[in-house]
Amino acid sequence: MNQHCDLALSNARVISMTKGSEGYTPSPLCHIGITNGQITALSLEPLQATNTFDCKGKLVTPGFIDCHTHLIFAGSRADEFEQRLKGVPYQEIAKQGGGILSTVRATREATQEELTELALPRLDGLLRTGVTTVEVKSGYGLTIEDEIKMLRAAKALEAHRKVHVSTTLLAAHALPPEYAGRADEYIELVCKEIIPLVAKESLATSVDVFCESIGFNLAQTEQVFQAAIDYGLTVKGHTEQLSNLGGTALTARYGGLSADHIEYLDEQGVLALSETNTVATLLPGAFYFLKETQQPPIELLRQHQVPIAIATDLNPGTSPFADLTMMMNMGCTLFGLTPEETLRGVTSHAAQALGMSDRRGQIEIGFEADLAIWDASHPAEFSYFQGAPRLTARLVAGEFDHV
Ligand code: NIG
Ligand code: FE
């Protein structure tokens, strides 16, 4: 006799996303038992439970994980979009004090509560595409107070919606105007004041750096990574997005959770990733929106068995998309990924990119009951049809959120 559960999802066709092709193949009709927010039973036999929800043969996947977003910001960059359509490049706009710095100005003026409020409609877009965990970066504050304000605004989203928020400090996103010509001094502020305070107050679990000609160089990135490790935080990088500086290999060397963007990554960089557990996170929304032509090295990543994640990179400048399944579609059409790769990219591999692969991103006994129930029958549906949502419900830590 099965043990008694708090909740049973009956007649589910489970896409477990466990390793191997069986993880992608929908199971025969089965029953998922949930107790105390965890998956406690997976059975072909009906389960004893306090409450039962009949899935009526619908697909059940792990809740999707958006492992790279800049969800918290104020202001709009619609004017910049128009400029870019007239031919002004992204880097040029950044050099003229627009781009990231225009969002910094608006974000500094907003209160923590305003930032949370502004983010809710964007978050709702993600939730409608099955997201149950979202990573959110700071990086539009660039002072101690404003970076902390952003991280707190991100965490506060959990009080408004059923979702897990994972926060990342990205104080090294751009050089704040008041530090113009003094990048090393700003990096010192990040390493000696911002990181220690963020670690002490447990405001973030990871530290990210924009390692790029319009961001920070390799030596500065390494200083930030070292400080992060010293304070017990994990690292990740915005690397090889617009050029090849070697930031990905550096991220891997510091045991990074993920190297993100990576359009300009070469084989050496891919090898560096393959030697660690660092995930390659692809951000097709930014590639599309910036009309990039340099393709990330998908075939090399496959050859060297580097886990690939897919994320929205939701931000006002390069990826204004609050839709994770749209990114799966772009991953297939723009990068040539298979629907199976994109589904792993928003479940098990995305969990790995956030250091949570032991508890989220798969449907397994002992894993958290973060699930999505879909009115769909084929596992390629998620990356295939867009704009007519098929989500029936999400469960976060075993709690229902019906659509
Ligand atoms: O991931 N690459 C740097 N950061 C963001 C863009 C942020 C912005 O333009 O506001 C990105 O693409
Ligand atoms: Fe980003």
Side-chain angles (χ1 to χ4, degrees):
M1 190 48 159
N2 282 303
Q3 85 222 44
H4 191 94
C5 310
D6 293 345
L7 171 67
L9 301 184
S10 62
N11 302 311
R13 296 181 66 227
V14 170
I15 301 182
S16 67
M17 297 320 290
T18 49
K19 273 210 169 97
S21 59
E22 66 276 12
Y24 178 66
T25 309
S27 70
L29 286 186
C30 77
H31 308 269
I32 306 172
I34 296 167
T35 300
N36 291 333
Q38 286 203 335
I39 299 170
T40 49
L42 287 168
S43 165
L44 292 172
E45 303 300 321
L47 296 166
Q48 300 273 343
T50 311
N51 294 301
T52 298
F53 178 85
D54 188 352
C55 295
K56 298 184 178 154
K58 289 179 182 176
L59 291 183
V60 179
T61 65
F64 289 178
I65 297 171
D66 191 349
C67 65
H68 180 143
T69 85
H70 307 253
L71 190 64
I72 294 288
F73 63 86
S76 158
R77 305 251 287 276
D79 54 337
E80 191 179 297
F81 177 47
E82 286 187 330
Q83 262 184 288
R84 284 205 302 103
L85 289 171
K86 286 183 193 142
V88 188
Y90 178 65
Q91 286 100 316
E92 193 49 47
I93 294 171
K95 279 186 199 139
Q96 290 166 6
I100 294 174
L101 290 184
S102 112
T103 303
V104 169
R105 285 189 288 276
T107 304
R108 284 180 175 179
E109 276 172 26
T111 64
Q112 184 189 310
E113 292 69 29
E114 284 166 346
L115 289 174
T116 302
E117 204 59 39
L118 285 168
L120 286 172
R122 303 169 198 141
L123 177 61
D124 286 336
L126 296 179
L127 303 188
R128 276 194 290 273
T129 55
V131 169
T132 52
T133 294
V134 62
E135 185 258 17
V136 183
K137 299 175 197 296
S138 66
Y140 293 124
L142 312 183
T143 65
I144 299 195
E145 297 74 26
D146 292 306
E147 286 293 295
I148 283 175
K149 177 178 77 180
M150 285 190 72
L151 294 170
R152 291 209 167 110
K155 260 298 178 202
L157 292 166
E158 288 180 338
H160 295 264
R161 296 291 186 271
K162 281 205 173 74
V163 67
H164 302 289
V165 174
S166 167
T167 44
T168 300
L169 176 73
L170 178 58
H173 192 198
L175 189 61
E178 59 277 14
Y179 277 86
R182 299 187 293 136
D184 286 333
E185 278 178 52
Y186 179 64
I187 289 297
E188 211 167 295
L189 174 80
V190 172
C191 295
K192 299 218 165 114
E193 296 188 40
I194 305 185
I195 289 175
L197 189 60
V198 163
K200 184 168 149 247
E201 308 227 336
S202 302
L203 292 168
T205 48
S206 274
V207 173
D208 195 340
V209 178
F210 186 22
C211 181
E212 190 55 67
S213 53
I214 57 167
F216 295 93
N217 66 31
L218 215 52
Q220 291 160 341
T221 303
E222 181 157 13
Q223 267 179 272
V224 176
F225 282 177
Q226 189 57 56
I229 302 287
D230 290 346
Y231 282 91
L233 302 171
T234 50
V235 304
K236 42 177 58 225
H238 280 73
T239 56
E240 271 70 73
Q241 178 186 12
L242 308 166
S243 59
N244 187 351
L245 295 188
T248 303
L250 181 73
T251 307
R253 193 144 61 75
Y254 275 80
L257 290 174
S258 68
D260 302 26
H261 286 290
I262 63 163
E263 281 88 339
Y264 284 81
L265 191 63
D266 57 17
E267 183 154 18
Q268 230 186 326
V270 174
L271 273 169
L273 288 178
S274 74
E275 283 157 14
T276 60
N277 282 324
T278 310
V279 172
T281 298
L282 303 180
L283 306 170
F287 173 91
Y288 159 83
F289 198 64
L290 293 178
K291 290 171 80 169
E292 292 288 348
T293 50
Q294 175 79 26
Q295 286 273 338
I298 304 293
E299 213 33 67
L300 286 170
L301 293 170
R302 284 179 182 142
Q303 264 172 35
H304 296 287
Q305 295 178 2
V306 176
I308 297 172
I310 294 266
T312 59
D313 194 17
L314 190 164
N315 77 72
T318 66
S319 194
F321 305 113
D323 187 325
L324 189 55
T325 56
M326 174 77 86
M327 299 304 119
M328 297 166 75
N329 177 279
M330 286 184 184
C332 296
T333 53
L334 300 176
F335 294 162
L337 295 175
T338 65
E340 177 173 350
E341 285 171 322
T342 65
L343 195 54
R344 285 199 191 280
V346 299
T347 54
S348 54
H349 291 166
Q352 191 176 334
L354 296 182
M356 302 170 172
S357 55
D358 59 338
R359 57 191 190 278
R360 289 189 202 153
Q362 295 177 51
I363 300 182
E364 280 237 70
I365 290 178
F367 273 54
E368 292 177 24
D370 291 354
L371 302 164
I373 305 174
W374 306 88
D375 199 359
S377 55
H378 194 288
E381 294 278 1
F382 313 109
S383 45
Y384 162 61
F385 211 101
Q386 302 302 308
R390 288 159 175 273
L391 185 72
T392 298
R394 298 177 313 120
L395 279 91
V396 178
E399 288 191 21
F400 256 107
D401 198 18
H402 289 278
V403 174

